[in-house]
Amino acid sequence: MYCAKSILRVVTAALVVAGLASTPATPLELRSLFKGKQHNAREISVDTNAAARMLSDYRRRHGLGPVKLDPTLNRIAADHALKMAKADKVSHVVRGEGSFARRLRSGGYDAAVAAENVGGGYVSLEEAFAGWRKSKGHNKNMLRPDITVMGIARADAAGSKYGAFWSLVLARPYERPQGPAAGPPTMPNGLIIGR
C-alpha cells in the first residue's frame, strides 16, 4: 500500500504541475491508470460478401477452393474485434475472453479446423487483406487447403493506438461420422490456430 500511495502522490503532483488535475487522484483512478484504459468501441460494417469473394479469388489463384460466409463465424469475429478495440490490443487473446478455441466453443461453432487472423490499423478491407497476404503466418492461414468457411469483422475505437481492429476467422466445420460403423459421437480432433 505504501508503494501505491507514493506512486499516487507522484502521479498527482505531476498532473497538478502540468495543470491537468486540480484534485488528488483516488486509488480507484490510480488502479485504472495501471490496468489500461477501456475505449468506447463500435462495430463497423464490413462487406462480408466482398470479403468472401476477395479471399476465394485469392485462393483460386493458388489452386484452392473457395470459402463461404458463415454467420456464426461472423459473430465470433465481431465479438473479438470489439474486445480488441475496447482493450486497444491486437491479439488472439484479450483479458477475460479466453483462447481462440474457447471463443469458438462458447460461440457455438464446432470446428474440425480453424485459424484466425487479426490486425489493427487497416482502414479498408483491401488494406487488411493486403497486410495479411504480406505476413507469412496470416497468408498461410488464408491459403490453408482444409478451410471452407469464413467470418470477418471490424471494430473501431476512437483515441486507440490502431483505430481499426480486424478479425478474420477461417474454418472447416466438424462433421460427425454417419452410419452404424461410426460408433459413439466423439469430440472433434481438429487443429485450432491463430496467427
Side-chain angles (χ1 to χ4, degrees):
M1 188 66 175
Y2 173 75
C3 182
K5 285 183 179 179
S6 297
I7 293 171
L8 173 62
R9 286 187 199 113
V10 171
V11 170
T12 302
L15 291 172
V16 169
V17 169
L20 299 175
S22 57
T23 59
T26 66
L28 180 61
E29 291 168 332
L30 181 63
R31 280 195 299 273
S32 67
L33 177 68
F34 289 106
K35 281 188 177 180
K37 181 181 177 185
Q38 285 286 309
H39 291 270
N40 289 326
R42 63 188 177 96
E43 190 175 341
I44 301 297
S45 178
V46 173
D47 185 342
T48 55
N49 290 316
R53 280 192 306 274
M54 190 179 297
L55 181 55
S56 292
D57 289 346
Y58 183 59
R59 289 172 56 80
R60 280 188 194 103
R61 288 193 301 272
H62 288 84
L64 300 169
V67 293
K68 295 179 182 178
L69 287 172
D70 184 283
T72 302
L73 294 182
N74 278 336
R75 186 73 256 146
I76 291 168
D79 289 344
H80 187 60
L82 279 168
K83 286 186 174 121
M84 287 192 300
K86 287 178 184 176
D88 196 7
K89 183 178 180 183
V90 176
S91 178
H92 295 285
V93 180
V94 176
R95 183 187 295 250
E97 182 182 49
S99 68
F100 177 48
R102 181 178 173 191
R103 288 188 282 115
L104 286 172
R105 283 191 307 272
S106 64
Y109 196 83
D110 199 5
V113 174
E116 177 181 58
N117 287 359
V118 294
Y122 303 126
V123 296
S124 69
L125 181 62
E126 294 77 14
E127 196 175 299
F129 271 101
W132 289 327
R133 283 191 303 267
K134 290 177 187 173
S135 163
K136 185 178 179 181
H138 292 120
N139 191 57
K140 184 178 178 180
N141 285 345
M142 293 192 302
L143 295 177
R144 289 185 61 87
D146 50 2
I147 63 165
T148 58
V149 292
M150 66 167 279
I152 188 167
R154 172 184 168 182
D156 284 10
S160 65
K161 180 177 180 180
Y162 298 101
F165 297 79
W166 292 82
S167 175
L168 171 66
V169 181
L170 306 161
R172 185 183 81 232
Y174 176 72
E175 296 176 13
R176 296 206 187 298
Q178 302 295 316
T186 59
M187 292 299 292
N189 189 16
L191 175 66
I192 310 292
I193 58 173
R195 291 228 192 315

